[in-house]
């Protein structure tokens, strides 16, 4: 076997597991979901090709209102995660020492050591009417009766930001770590203040990491199910709950598949608009973060 053929074989074997993972777990399931969503039930166990499931979504305001609400709250969670995560990422990448950096990364990783369900129940123990915070406020004499902090949009947002903040910090640290400190020093030497250096040097350099983190956080938030349901309760209107109800409660897999594809299409459009507004490309963002 020639050396060229050996390298080609090694390359094929190297990428074969990744290609199988993409085909078996992403491509084929999505093809199946698309085909299922285009099955329109016309009689018991009788189906025809059609767009009836998508028309049902458009004709029912509660469905697309819930989708728009999920998208707007996901954008809010993404913005809050960026505002909170950027200073942390900058400190880890540029100011912290090696030991401090490792400790901070460990603190960021701790929430991922437990499942979403356990994290959500942790927030419930803190925020419920008989929880830690309400009991402390009563003990301190700040309130006269128990306070229920759960089952509202604020609680859902707090829980989601807590869940996804790490996925904003990691790409930001990766991008900012590659920035030469002399660029920041040059900005100050040329008469710029802290805000100017941040706006004209740091943020433009970190833009691939910002976009990458926002994409991951937005997709995770829009596709979240446990946190909005457990922390929002009956007052929560999250589109993933509509998908779950179609699949599990109503046994309408065709409509559930259509709703899933609509969520994917909606989030993809939002990401495409975000890339256009930021002037970034997906390939450039992935390569630099």
């Amino acid at each position: 076997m020639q050396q060229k053929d050996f390298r080609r074989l090694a390359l094929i074997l190297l990428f074969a597991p990744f290609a199988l993972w993409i085909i078996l777990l992403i491509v084929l399931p999505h093809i199946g979901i698309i085909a299922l969503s285009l099955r329109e039930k016309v009689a018991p166990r009788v189906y025809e090709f059609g767009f009836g499931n998508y028309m049902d979504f458009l004709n029912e305001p509660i469905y697309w209102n819930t989708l728009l609400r999920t998208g707007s709250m996901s954008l809010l969670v993404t913005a809050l995660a960026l505002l909170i995560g950027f200073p942390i990422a900058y400190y880890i990448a540029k100011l912290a020492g090696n030991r401090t950096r490792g400790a901070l990364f460990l603190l960021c990783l701790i929430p991922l050591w437990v499942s979403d369900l356990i994290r959500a129940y942790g927030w419930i123990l803190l925020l419920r009417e008989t929880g830690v915070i309400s009991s402390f406020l009563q003990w301190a004499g700040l309130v006269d009766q128990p306070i229920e902090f759960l089952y509202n949009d604020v609680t859902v947002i707090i829980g989601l930001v807590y869940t996804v903040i790490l996925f904003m910090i990691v790409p930001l640290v990766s991008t900012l770590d590659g920035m030469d400190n002399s660029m920041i020093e040059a900005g100050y030497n040329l008469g710029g203040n802290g805000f100017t250096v941040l706006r004209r040097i740091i943020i433009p350099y970190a833009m691939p990491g910002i976009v990458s983190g926002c994409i991951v956080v937005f997709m995770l938030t829009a596709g979240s199910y446990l946190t909005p349901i457990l922390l929002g309760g009956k007052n929560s209107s999250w589109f993933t709950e509509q998908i779950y109800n179609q699949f599990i409660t109503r046994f309408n897999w065709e409509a559930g598949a259509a709703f899933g594809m609509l969520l994917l299409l909606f989030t993809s459009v939002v990401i495409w608009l975000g890339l256009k507004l930021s002037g970034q490309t997906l390939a450039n963002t992935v390569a630099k973060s």
Side-chain angles (χ1 to χ4, degrees), residues 9-204:
L9 178 61
L11 185 63
I12 292 175
L13 293 176
L14 179 64
F15 282 97
F18 176 73
L20 288 175
W21 182 76
I22 293 292
I23 294 173
L24 297 178
L25 298 181
I26 297 180
V27 176
L28 293 180
H30 278 78
I31 293 176
I33 290 292
I34 293 173
L36 186 61
S37 69
L38 296 175
R39 290 175 56 184
E40 185 175 348
K41 190 173 184 179
V42 295
R45 297 186 179 182
V46 178
Y47 300 92
E48 292 181 356
F49 176 85
F51 295 92
N53 297 311
Y54 294 94
M55 295 305 299
D56 290 341
F57 169 84
L58 295 176
N59 293 330
E60 183 55 60
I62 190 174
Y63 291 150
W64 45 266
N65 283 336
T66 303
L67 178 59
L68 294 177
R69 185 177 185 275
T70 299
S72 61
M73 290 189 65
S74 298
L75 289 174
L76 177 59
V77 170
T78 303
L80 292 174
L82 177 60
L83 290 176
I84 298 172
F86 192 91
I88 298 174
Y90 184 82
Y91 182 83
I92 293 175
K94 291 300 175 186
L95 302 178
N98 292 331
R99 291 185 178 180
T100 305
R101 177 183 298 188
L104 291 174
F105 258 122
L106 180 62
L107 290 175
C108 293
L109 285 171
I110 286 177
L112 297 182
W113 291 0
V114 294
S115 66
D116 289 344
L117 182 63
I118 301 301
R119 288 199 295 267
Y121 275 115
W123 282 107
I124 292 175
L125 291 175
L126 288 174
L127 301 175
R128 65 181 179 177
E129 191 175 5
T130 57
V132 176
I133 296 178
S134 178
S135 300
F136 173 78
L137 293 176
Q138 293 179 77
W139 174 82
L142 299 177
V143 296
D144 298 329
Q145 58 185 1
I147 300 178
E148 182 65 84
F149 293 100
L150 290 173
Y151 313 128
N152 55 72
D153 290 342
V154 175
T155 304
V156 173
I157 291 173
I158 292 174
L160 288 172
V161 171
Y162 170 77
T163 302
V164 301
I165 185 94
L166 176 66
F167 299 97
M168 180 67 73
I169 293 175
V170 170
L172 286 173
V173 171
S174 177
T175 304
L176 290 170
D177 194 47
M179 182 174 62
D180 195 340
N181 291 333
S182 61
M183 297 174 62
I184 302 176
E185 297 175 0
Y188 284 110
N189 292 335
L190 293 174
N193 54 30
F195 178 75
T196 302
V197 171
L198 175 67
R199 180 174 61 88
R200 303 191 64 176
I201 297 178
I202 299 177
I203 290 181

Side-chain angles (χ1 to χ4, degrees), residues 74 77-78 81 164-165 167-168 212-222:
S74 298
V77 170
T78 303
V164 301
I165 185 94
F167 299 97
M168 180 67 73
S212 177
C214 287
I215 290 175
V216 175
V217 167
F218 177 76
M219 293 295 288
L220 289 175
T221 305

